[in-house]
């Protein structure tokens, strides 16, 4: 192990310098290792090194005050889930010294490396003093720093980033001291989403602004759509494909100018737009870096200097699946690499075999997880891949509490080799993603997934686990038993009769919502009605989740038809194209009540899809006695938006709704003469205005009436349908994903109030201008002002979901504050009104 020296301290020009390479202790030669960075990778390397070499001299330098802290737990301290400060620090310098005999030097920043002399210069961050320290081996684990893009105003003290414990305390103390009411999180990655949840838990009104078309970048857009819906359901506002251009700090709040032209007012900002490797030290020492600034290392975690190792967020990784170089900052890889570096320092030939990006995120009560590569990475690597979507239950559906999860599996077309998986769900997501991550590590194919024998009892899984199911479905595709098409293929399917578009769900399901152009033949009647289908035409089949359509495809294929199954079914398709913004969690008027004289009936509708839960509820209500309380559990996300309107329409009393871990529990009292609970909005002098027209004069008239009624203290709801929706459109162009027809519709129709024409004497827009001028001269509020005052007076603006679907208008294109509903919501309002106007 080279020469042996004794340590000697030379005081020179105010600097302390240790010169010692290997120390001899009795007959043992001591290796001197310096470690830069005392958290995941650094602390891991130090602990392993000590376990392997009791005699090494180990000095760990940490710039900050804390070592071995729980970065991953920081957001939860801000939200209050983690209560004790002490829980954030897993080790202190003292405990680390006692347990591992590691000389921990906090407040010590390594500012340069002299590779020739094999020394580092360390600056004490509290005193400014500089010392030199020699090494035999050096391990760098400096991590990654949060990006702060050069947006004007980003330096405002109310703009925060989150990396370490001092950042966490700064944010928490700001919240405690200033009691901000709102926060904007810039960036919808893992940390952004975690911060949104935790700021929301801390009582703030939270908005997330994300530059891409979806949050949680490592998953694909199609899977992220469910996350968007969930985030919004929880009351967090979400702006996608939008960026913050500037931040203007006023005395009362911050104003964020977005690229779309919108302006957000907020009390504080969390900047969570990603991280970059902290490699200035390595760069200064002339170590090889990649184009992104990550330190280049070999599989032993050695840099291009044989005496310097580097690990963690600062290093370049090799993608386990594609073998391409990349940058994936995660705690698991950092910890493993720290251990591997220590092994190699002690002569153990350990190798790091690549990162596959296994990661998991808690998004309120939802779990989002992924492993391996996504579609973007597969395309970039030129891999020919196929994908399947399944929607299995977390455990046997007959055992209470089963909730479904969406599993997306990517595999190589030629070989079936597993490439990646993404899961969005509520329960059991973690164990499925870990099995799939293990399968990818083991180089398994989707055929192998069918053979995995996984533990099963009804409370935990099904006899065919979701992982097995993913294998079965992919195997069917690869062996030609089932051909698939995907949600993004649907818009391009010909609607000219040259192909058959077939929906095999029940008529009730079909009537509740179906894809444009599809005909309905329920699977159970397909054999009898096959004659209605032309055997010469390809048949594109869908059902709710893809299972009944698979059965239909098998029936048809064996009768000579060329058949394709929509992977993931209508349910998954709808989760991507569904125009209805979910209603924000409803206020619980009364939680879990039972009047002493009433009976409580419990219904379990978990696992049933819309309209299953409503139908089950309707039957139970019919059989119940007046005053009985029906409590229904469902896992159908649409139920939460439907139930209140259904109660109002049927005259039953909606008592409240709670949601937890994917299960919504609602309570309904069968229409009894008992008074509705306090807070239930029942009045029969409300006004209901249906705005069908998109003409300026008619829109003005509608809002004049609405304002007048509101000023008389009446509850007013305005239901905008067909052309009336144009009144609610934002004037600026909002970039949203649309099929061709919807895009054309969008272009041809007036975008917002400023573009509306008059119903008569429009004269190419001259008439509209004249009327606006006259109104201004006569001091009559403009349409925009009328709309604003209506909203301020509590007038409810409801956009018709069905018309939006037909006309291809997306929720993001409508002005803020609009809710979404269907005919049921409109009729419920009408029944509570003494006046309904159709304009
Ligand atoms: P770090 O843990 O960042 O440690 C680097 C340390 O080096 C820092 O303390 C820094 O002060 C110190 N340092 C830097 N330069 C010098 C120098 N010149 N001299 C002395 N000291 C120096 N990953 C997951 O897998 N799952 C999660 O849920 C998760 N959640 C996270 C939540 C948050 C809020 C954050 C910030 C990160 C999260 N991560 C998560 C990422 C994970 O924490 C990192 O991947 C991991 O900590 C990287 O380890 P590291 O040792 O490379 O760097």
């Amino acid at each position: 192990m080279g020469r042996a020296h004794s340590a000697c301290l030379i005081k020179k020009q105010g600097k302390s310098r240790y010169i010692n390479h290997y120390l001899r202790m009795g007959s043992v030669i001591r290796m001197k290792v310096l470690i830069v960075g005392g958290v995941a990778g650094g602390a891991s390397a130090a602990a392993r090194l000590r376990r392997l070499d009791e005699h090494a001299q180990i000095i760990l330098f940490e710039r900050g005050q804390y070592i071995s802290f729980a970065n991953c737990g920081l957001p939860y301290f801000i939200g209050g889930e983690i209560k004790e400060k002490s829980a954030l620090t897993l080790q202190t310098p003292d405990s680390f010294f006692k347990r591992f005999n590691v000389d921990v030097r906090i407040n010590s920043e390594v500012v340069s490396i002299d590779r020739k002399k094999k020394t580092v210069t360390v600056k004490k961050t509290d005193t400014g003093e500089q010392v030199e320290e020699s090494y035999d081996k050096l391990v760098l684990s400096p991590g990654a720093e949060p990006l702060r893009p050069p947006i004007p105003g980003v330096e405002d003290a109310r703009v925060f980033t989150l990396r370490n414990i001092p950042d966490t305390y700064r944010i928490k103390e700001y919240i405690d001291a200033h009691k901000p009411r709102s926060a904007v999180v810039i960036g919808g990655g893992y940390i952004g989403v975690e911060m949104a949840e935790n700021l929301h838990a801390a009582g703030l009104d939270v908005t997330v602004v994300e530059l891409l078309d979806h949050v949680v970048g490592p998953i694909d857009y199609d899977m992220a759509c469910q996350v968007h819906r969930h985030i919004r359901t929880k009351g967090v506002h979400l702006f996608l494909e939008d960026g913050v251009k500037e931040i203007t700090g006023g005395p009362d709040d911050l104003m964020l100018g977005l690229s779309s032209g919108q302006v957000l007012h907020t009390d504080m900002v969390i900047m969570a737009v990603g991280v970059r490797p902290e490699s200035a030290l390595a760069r200064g020492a002339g170590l090889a870096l990649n184009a992104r600034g990550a330190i280049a290392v070999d599989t032993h975690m050695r840099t291009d200097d044989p005496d310097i190792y580097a690990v963690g967020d600062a290093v370049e990784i090799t993608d386990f699946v594609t073998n391409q170089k990349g940058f994936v900052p995660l705690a698991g890889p950092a910890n493993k690499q720290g251990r591997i570096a220590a092994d190699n320092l002690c002569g153990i030939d350990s190798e790091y075999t690549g990162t596959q990006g296994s990661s998991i995120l808690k998004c309120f009560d939802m779990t989002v997880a992924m492993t391996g590569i996504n579609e973007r990475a597969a395309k970039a690597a030129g891999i020919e891949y196929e994908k399947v979507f399944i929607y299995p239950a977390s455990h046997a559906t007959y055992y209470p509490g089963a909730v479904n999860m969406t599993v997306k599996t990517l595999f190589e077309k030629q070989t079936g080799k597993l490439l990646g998986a993404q899961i969005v769900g509520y329960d059991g997501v973690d164990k499925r993603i870990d099995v799939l991550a293990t399968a990818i590590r083991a180089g398994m194919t989707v055929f192998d997934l069918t053979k995995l024998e996984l533990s099963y009892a009804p409370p935990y899984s099904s006899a065919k686990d979701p992982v097995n199911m993913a294998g079965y479905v992919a195997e069917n595709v690869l062996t030609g038993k089932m051909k698939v098409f995907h949600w993004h293929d649907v818009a391009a399917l010909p609607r000219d009769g040259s192909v058959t578009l077939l929906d095999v769900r029940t008529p009730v399901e079909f009537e509740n919502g179906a894809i444009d152009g599809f005909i309905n033949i329920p699977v159970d009647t397909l054999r009898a009605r096959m004659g209605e289908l032309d055997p010469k035409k390809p048949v594109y089949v869908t059902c709710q989740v893809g299972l009944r359509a698979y059965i239909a495809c098998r029936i048809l294929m064996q009768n000579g038809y060329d058949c394709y199954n929509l992977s993931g079914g209508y349910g998954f398709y709808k989760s991507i194209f569904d125009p209805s913004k979910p209603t924000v969690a409803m206020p619980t008027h009364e939680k879990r009540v039972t009047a002493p004289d009433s009976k409580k009936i419990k219904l379990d509708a978990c696992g049933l899809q819309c309209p299953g839960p409503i139908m089950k509820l309707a039957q139970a209500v019919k059989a119940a006695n007046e005053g009985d309380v029906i409590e229904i559990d469902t896992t159908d996300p649409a139920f939460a938006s439907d139930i209140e309107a259904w109660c109002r329409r049927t005259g039953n009393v909606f008592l409240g709704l709670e949601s937890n871990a994917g299960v919504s529990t609602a309570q309904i009292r069968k229409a009894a003469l008992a008074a509705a609970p306090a807070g239930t909005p029942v009045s029969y002098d409300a006004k209901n205005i249906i705005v069908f027209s998109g003409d300026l004069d008619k829109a003005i008239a509608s809002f004049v009436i609405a304002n007048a009624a509101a000023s008389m203290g009446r509850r007013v709801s305005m239901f905008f349908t067909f052309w009336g929706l144009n009144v609610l459109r934002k004037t600026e162009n909002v970039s949203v994903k649309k099929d061709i027809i919807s895009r054309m519709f969008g272009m041809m129709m007036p975008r917002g109030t400023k573009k509306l024409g008059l119903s008569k004497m429009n004269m190419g827009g001259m008439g509209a201008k004249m009327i606006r001028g006259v109104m201004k001269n006569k001091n009559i509020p403009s349409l925009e002002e009328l709309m604003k005052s209506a909203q301020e007076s509590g007038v409810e603006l409801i956009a018709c979901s069905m018309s939006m679907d037909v006309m291809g208008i997306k929720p993001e294109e409508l002005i803020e504050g609009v809710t979404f509903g269907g005919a049921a919501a409109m009729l419920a309002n009408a029944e509570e009104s003494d006046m309904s106007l159709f304009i």
Side-chain angles (χ1 to χ4, degrees):
M1 275 209 172
R3 293 166 301 152
H5 294 271
S6 59
C8 63
L9 172 64
I10 300 170
K11 280 262 183 195
K12 197 178 168 191
Q13 291 165 352
K15 290 183 180 177
S16 308
R17 187 207 288 176
Y18 281 95
I19 299 179
N20 91 335
H21 291 283
Y22 295 102
L23 282 172
R24 186 181 289 281
M25 287 186 63
S27 59
V28 183
I29 295 172
R30 293 179 78 196
M31 167 174 58
K32 183 175 177 187
V33 182
L34 304 186
I35 298 175
V36 181
V39 194
S44 186
R48 173 74 171 171
L49 189 55
R50 174 56 74 226
R51 288 194 294 268
L52 294 174
D53 185 347
E54 183 58 20
H55 303 296
Q57 185 188 1
I58 309 169
I59 306 175
L60 186 149
F61 295 104
E62 168 53 53
R63 182 174 54 199
Q65 225 180 313
Y66 303 92
I67 59 154
S68 198
F69 60 85
N71 334 43
C72 313
L74 301 179
Y76 301 97
F77 180 74
I78 294 166
E81 189 78 18
I82 297 175
K83 297 207 164 33
E84 299 301 326
K85 282 186 172 180
S86 58
L88 296 175
T89 39
L90 309 174
Q91 291 279 358
T92 62
D94 189 43
S95 70
F96 210 60
F97 174 74
K98 281 191 184 132
R99 175 70 51 91
F100 295 110
N101 187 21
V102 170
D103 178 357
V104 177
R105 301 189 190 168
I106 55 168
N107 299 322
S108 300
E109 179 173 8
V110 176
V111 289
S112 65
I113 305 168
D114 187 330
R115 288 166 56 192
K116 268 208 192 100
K117 284 199 290 179
K118 292 181 73 172
T119 59
V120 298
T121 303
V122 186
K123 183 176 150 196
K124 295 288 288 172
T125 52
D126 42 1
T127 62
E129 186 199 354
Q130 295 209 349
V131 292
E132 257 180 30
E133 191 69 56
S134 66
Y135 64 83
D136 298 320
K137 301 285 176 190
L138 180 62
V139 180
L140 304 179
S141 186
E145 59 185 330
L147 290 168
R148 258 185 182 262
I151 302 170
V154 76
E155 297 310 329
D156 192 289
R158 290 161 288 181
V159 179
F160 300 88
T161 54
L162 177 63
R163 175 183 184 183
N164 50 34
I165 292 186
D167 293 342
T168 310
Y169 291 166
R170 253 193 301 279
I171 296 171
K172 180 94 168 132
E173 279 156 18
Y174 183 83
I175 294 173
D176 292 344
H178 299 276
K179 310 264 177 297
R181 281 160 306 160
S182 61
V184 171
V185 178
I186 307 179
Y190 284 98
I191 295 178
V193 172
E194 285 178 356
M195 278 310 296
E197 174 182 349
N198 280 288
L199 291 169
H200 184 270
L204 280 79
D205 182 34
V206 182
T207 302
V208 176
V209 181
E210 167 58 54
L211 200 60
L212 300 177
D213 63 357
H214 69 283
V215 297
V216 197
I219 64 171
D220 289 314
Y221 170 80
D222 46 19
M223 293 295 281
C225 286
Q226 293 173 63
V227 186
H228 299 160
R229 185 187 165 93
H230 196 64
I231 288 175
R232 288 180 169 137
T233 303
K234 296 295 175 184
V236 171
H237 318 283
L238 185 58
F239 287 77
L240 296 170
E241 293 184 279
D242 213 343
V244 175
K245 272 197 328 193
E246 58 176 348
I247 301 171
T248 315
D252 298 330
D253 62 5
L254 293 163
M255 274 192 323
L256 272 58
L258 305 188
S259 322
S260 61
Q262 306 212 49
V263 175
L264 303 178
H265 289 260
T266 187
D267 295 332
M268 65 184 290
V269 169
I270 304 288
M271 186 70 77
V273 294
V275 295
R276 74 164 147 245
E278 182 148 350
S279 50
L281 183 64
R283 188 190 299 276
L287 296 174
L289 307 180
N290 73 5
R292 239 184 125 168
I295 307 169
V297 286
D298 64 15
T299 54
H300 296 96
M301 306 314 299
R302 215 172 356 228
T303 65
D304 57 343
D305 180 328
D307 291 322
I308 304 180
Y309 289 73
V311 302
D313 286 359
V315 306
E316 178 183 62
I317 55 93
T318 302
D319 186 285
F320 180 78
V321 176
T322 62
N323 231 10
Q324 294 182 345
K325 296 293 182 191
F327 173 64
V328 181
L330 285 171
N335 276 277
K336 290 182 184 78
Q337 292 163 0
R339 184 185 164 99
I340 288 168
D343 279 358
N344 284 288
L345 286 171
C346 295
I348 300 171
D349 183 21
S350 286
E351 284 194 85
Y352 187 69
T353 52
T355 299
Q356 67 190 75
S358 302
S359 50
I360 190 158
L361 168 74
K362 176 178 175 300
C363 173
F364 296 90
D365 48 348
M366 177 182 257
T367 307
V368 183
M370 66 117 23
T371 183
I373 56 172
N374 58 25
E375 286 199 58
R376 215 175 37 253
K379 281 181 191 140
I383 298 173
E384 260 205 80
Y385 68 93
E386 182 54 280
K387 59 190 170 199
V388 290
F389 300 90
I390 58 168
Y391 192 59
S394 54
H395 60 247
T397 48
Y398 58 81
Y399 185 87
V403 282
N404 290 76
M405 64 183 90
T406 307
V407 183
K408 174 174 183 174
T409 314
L410 257 63
F411 48 94
E412 221 169 46
K413 250 188 186 159
Q414 288 300 312
T415 61
K417 186 177 167 212
L418 203 55
L419 299 171
Q422 298 162 37
I423 311 184
V424 174
Y426 297 92
D427 182 36
V429 169
D430 48 352
K431 79 166 172 167
R432 273 55 186 235
I433 205 73
D434 282 346
V435 173
L436 290 161
T438 311
I440 290 177
R441 260 301 140 161
M444 288 186 180
T445 64
V446 288
F447 304 108
D448 294 323
L449 296 184
T450 66
K451 296 174 200 144
L452 293 180
E453 186 182 308
L454 302 170
S455 58
Y456 161 64
Y460 301 103
S461 184
S462 300
K464 288 182 199 142
D465 187 87
V467 172
N468 299 132
M469 289 309 300
Y472 288 126
V473 175
E475 181 189 57
N476 283 337
V477 172
L478 287 178
T479 54
K481 290 185 193 68
M482 180 176 78
K483 293 193 255 186
V484 282
F485 66 110
H486 297 289
W487 59 270
H488 45 78
D489 301 322
V490 172
L493 290 176
R495 264 69 174 185
D496 58 0
S498 58
V499 300
T500 304
L501 306 178
L502 177 65
D503 187 326
V504 295
R505 294 175 300 158
T506 61
V508 177
E509 289 171 286
F510 184 74
E511 273 155 31
N512 206 43
I515 305 174
D516 175 41
F518 277 64
I519 58 163
N520 182 222
I521 301 180
V523 65
D524 293 339
T525 61
L526 186 60
R527 287 185 184 87
R529 294 178 59 185
M530 207 179 305
E532 294 173 34
L533 305 177
D534 185 342
K536 290 197 218 73
K537 293 180 185 170
V539 190
Y540 290 85
V541 191
T542 188
C543 64
Q544 188 64 22
V545 301
L547 180 61
R548 281 173 286 174
Y550 165 57
I551 296 164
C553 280
R554 292 302 302 155
I555 296 171
L556 292 170
M557 282 168 84
Q558 291 177 70
N559 281 282
Y561 288 81
D562 180 23
C563 260
Y564 300 82
N565 182 359
L566 175 61
S567 190
Y570 174 74
F572 187 64
Y573 175 87
K574 190 164 174 264
S575 74
I576 297 162
F577 291 107
D578 184 5
S580 59
K581 214 187 234 176
T583 45
V584 170
M586 277 173 269
T588 306
H589 302 309
E590 217 180 294
K591 285 185 182 176
R592 299 183 181 268
V593 288
T594 325
D597 54 345
S598 66
K599 200 167 73 187
K600 185 152 166 195
I601 301 159
K602 277 202 64 93
L603 291 181
D604 184 2
C606 291
L608 294 183
Q609 299 299 319
C610 173
I614 285 282
M615 285 165 64
K616 194 162 180 170
L617 176 64
Q619 280 166 5
V621 168
K622 204 168 161 197
N625 294 317
E626 278 190 1
D628 286 350
V629 171
I630 295 110
E631 184 174 289
I632 177 166
D633 289 342
T634 89
T635 49
D636 174 20
F639 182 79
S641 358
D642 291 348
I643 178 67
E644 194 173 14
W646 184 87
C647 286
R648 279 160 51 195
R649 185 164 47 82
T650 54
N652 294 290
V653 183
F654 172 66
L655 297 176
L657 178 125
E658 290 176 322
S659 286
N660 189 27
V663 179
S664 300
T665 303
Q667 284 197 345
I668 297 98
R669 179 175 288 136
K670 169 145 183 181
L673 295 176
T680 306
V682 178
S683 72
Y684 294 96
D685 56 3
K687 311 291 169 212
N688 184 39
I689 305 174
I690 300 151
V691 185
F692 176 84
S693 164
D695 294 331
L696 178 66
D697 41 353
K698 293 182 182 170
I700 293 171
S702 313
F703 277 97
V704 168
I705 298 166
N707 275 296
S711 68
M712 289 164 66
R714 302 288 182 265
R715 191 165 68 82
V716 185
S717 49
M718 300 179 76
F719 185 77
F720 294 81
T721 186
F722 283 92
W723 314 115
L725 286 170
N726 292 316
V727 181
L728 299 181
R729 287 179 75 189
K730 289 176 186 158
T731 42
E732 70 273 9
N733 191 8
V734 179
S735 105
V736 279
K737 275 206 164 65
K738 286 189 178 186
D739 56 44
I740 298 167
I741 306 248
S742 303
R743 246 198 327 268
M744 278 169 55
F745 249 120
M747 272 167 6
M748 288 183 313
M749 292 187 305
R751 196 165 64 214
T753 49
K754 296 267 162 64
K755 298 274 163 52
L756 301 181
L758 284 183
S759 61
K760 290 201 167 67
M761 298 189 339
N762 190 41
M763 299 175 293
M766 281 288 293
K769 281 209 179 87
M770 279 164 63
I771 248 221
R772 281 180 178 275
V774 171
M775 285 171 72
K776 195 169 172 199
N777 290 341
K778 294 190 184 282
N779 235 354
I780 300 171
S782 65
L783 174 56
E784 294 74 27
E785 287 162 340
L786 286 168
M787 288 172 73
K788 189 161 175 272
S789 62
Q791 282 189 293
E792 283 166 0
S793 316
V795 172
E796 192 185 10
L797 309 184
I798 308 166
C800 170
S801 312
M802 184 276 295
S803 310
M804 287 176 70
D805 199 12
V806 170
M807 305 174 87
I809 295 177
K810 304 282 173 187
E812 296 88 327
E813 293 179 85
L814 300 187
I815 58 171
E816 286 302 306
V818 171
T819 58
F820 301 85
M826 188 275 291
L827 287 170
N829 283 326
E831 283 175 13
E832 286 167 14
S833 302
D834 59 358
M835 180 196 88
S836 277
L837 286 177
F838 186 92
I839 297 180

